[in-house]
Amino acid sequence: MTGTERRVDRLANRLLERSPATGWRAWLVEFLVFGLKQAWACLFGALMLVAIVAARLWWPDDAGLARNDLLVIAAVAIQVLMLVTRLEGGRELWVIVLFHLVGTVMELFKTQVGSWLYDDGGLLRLGGVPLFTGFMYAAVGSYMVRVYRLFDLRFDRYPRLWITALLALAAYANFFAHHYVLDARWLLLAAVAVVYCRTWMHYRVFRHTLRMPVLLAFGLVALFIWFAENIATWAGAWAYPDQVDGWHPVSWAKLVSWFLLMLISVVLVTFVYPPRPLASTAADRRDHE
């Protein structure tokens, strides 16, 4: 963990050390700690979502500073705050830069082919893509890295990294290629299921270490991204073609896209934080911190 997070962790442990070790109260504490850690891991994305909704509700349409430019400034301020307060470190910054690059390239292409669109206002943009969009992908990267650290993740039967890298590359290529050739998303989804079907993720909450199939973790995170996407499109951050004449919930089919994005996200994170096996030692944990 970063220095700031270690201080928060020590304070939290002092507050919780007198909590029951067994029984339903102990599991209630574990549940609450799990929720708080998840909220802490989502901090970057949550602040971005708050900025998007606030800009929709309170920023005037005729303001001298366009709403899109305001969101760019807010996103940069959030990122700087995360670094200055040591909520993110240098290794996290590498992941965030990777997510910026990967996300921005896809945004430039997708807006050109009409998959979704943004308001025309603002100067801080590349073509039809406001610069705050890269930070939305970075928010996913920030979450992935922070949850890795906060829950001390270990993996059992993790696939070979070169296999996951090829699979992620194929998924990323399909986001572009399906506009011209056969859409392979369902084939890719099946391949992800085969590659990760034996992989379990072990995560430490407070006193207990629990486990979950990695495929289930992918699905749950994809679902929460879908919820956030609905809030963001309602707030006018972007719109799909069928939302131009009036907002309605994003199609459930987008969950497949977000599931494949989770694969790409996980592989990008493994470039900086290689998956640690379940048998990792305490010394390895200290080195990681």
Side-chain angles (χ1 to χ4, degrees):
M1 292 185 286
T2 65
T4 299
E5 287 174 336
R6 279 196 292 270
R7 288 191 290 272
V8 173
D9 185 64
R10 286 194 294 268
L11 175 62
N13 277 285
R14 283 199 295 270
L15 294 174
L16 293 170
E17 61 186 4
R18 296 184 180 179
S19 64
T22 58
W24 68 269
R25 289 188 179 87
W27 284 106
L28 178 60
V29 169
E30 294 285 334
F31 178 76
L32 293 174
V33 171
F34 176 84
L36 289 171
K37 281 189 172 183
Q38 285 288 343
W40 189 250
C42 292
L43 184 60
F44 192 119
L47 291 175
M48 277 295 301
L49 199 57
V50 167
I52 289 171
V53 173
R56 161 66 184 271
L57 294 177
W58 296 302
W59 195 254
D61 292 336
D62 58 352
L65 181 66
R67 184 177 287 111
N68 285 342
D69 289 347
L70 172 70
L71 290 176
V72 175
I73 295 170
V76 172
I78 293 169
Q79 182 63 82
V80 171
L81 179 66
M82 297 283 285
L83 292 170
V84 169
T85 58
R86 297 291 298 163
L87 295 179
E88 289 178 346
R91 298 174 76 181
E92 287 83 350
L93 187 59
W94 278 110
V95 174
I96 288 169
V97 170
L98 282 174
F99 273 77
H100 264 283
L101 294 175
V102 169
T104 300
V105 169
M106 188 163 67
E107 286 285 332
L108 288 168
F109 176 82
K110 288 291 191 178
T111 52
Q112 286 181 353
V113 298
S115 294
W116 54 79
L117 62 156
Y118 296 93
D119 287 338
D120 294 332
L123 300 174
L124 304 176
R125 58 195 304 124
L126 289 174
V129 181
L131 294 182
F132 75 83
T133 60
F135 289 93
M136 294 190 296
Y137 291 90
V140 177
S142 175
Y143 168 80
M144 296 296 298
V145 173
R146 288 162 67 79
V147 81
Y148 192 94
R149 290 190 281 100
L150 294 172
F151 287 92
D152 193 25
L153 296 187
R154 299 288 194 274
F155 298 91
D156 190 20
R157 299 188 183 94
Y158 198 88
R160 294 185 180 276
L161 294 184
W162 68 268
I163 296 176
T164 64
L166 287 177
L167 195 55
L169 183 61
Y172 188 65
N174 188 68
F175 281 116
F176 300 85
H178 80 84
H179 291 279
Y180 308 106
V181 296
L182 182 67
D183 189 351
R185 71 180 63 195
W186 294 106
L187 179 61
L188 288 166
L189 194 65
V192 173
V194 170
V195 169
Y196 284 94
C197 65
R198 299 173 66 245
T199 307
W200 286 76
M201 179 181 72
H202 298 254
Y203 56 99
R204 181 170 55 88
V205 182
F206 175 42
R207 292 191 177 102
H208 298 284
T209 297
L210 307 174
R211 69 173 190 159
M212 175 188 301
V214 164
L215 290 174
L216 177 58
F218 283 8
L220 290 173
V221 177
L223 179 62
F224 278 98
I225 293 176
W226 181 83
F227 285 133
E229 180 183 40
N230 275 282
I231 296 172
T233 54
W234 170 83
W238 72 91
Y240 292 104
D242 59 354
Q243 294 176 320
V244 172
D245 295 328
W247 182 86
H248 57 80
V250 177
S251 169
W252 284 100
K254 287 290 292 181
L255 280 171
V256 179
S257 298
W258 290 121
F259 190 95
L260 293 176
L261 178 69
M262 286 311 305
L263 168 69
I264 298 169
S265 303
V266 168
V267 171
L268 287 176
V269 171
T270 61
F271 290 155
V272 179
Y273 286 96
R276 293 174 293 166
L278 183 59
S280 295
T281 62
D284 172 63
R285 182 182 299 120
R286 288 193 298 271
D287 291 340
H288 175 70
E289 292 175 354

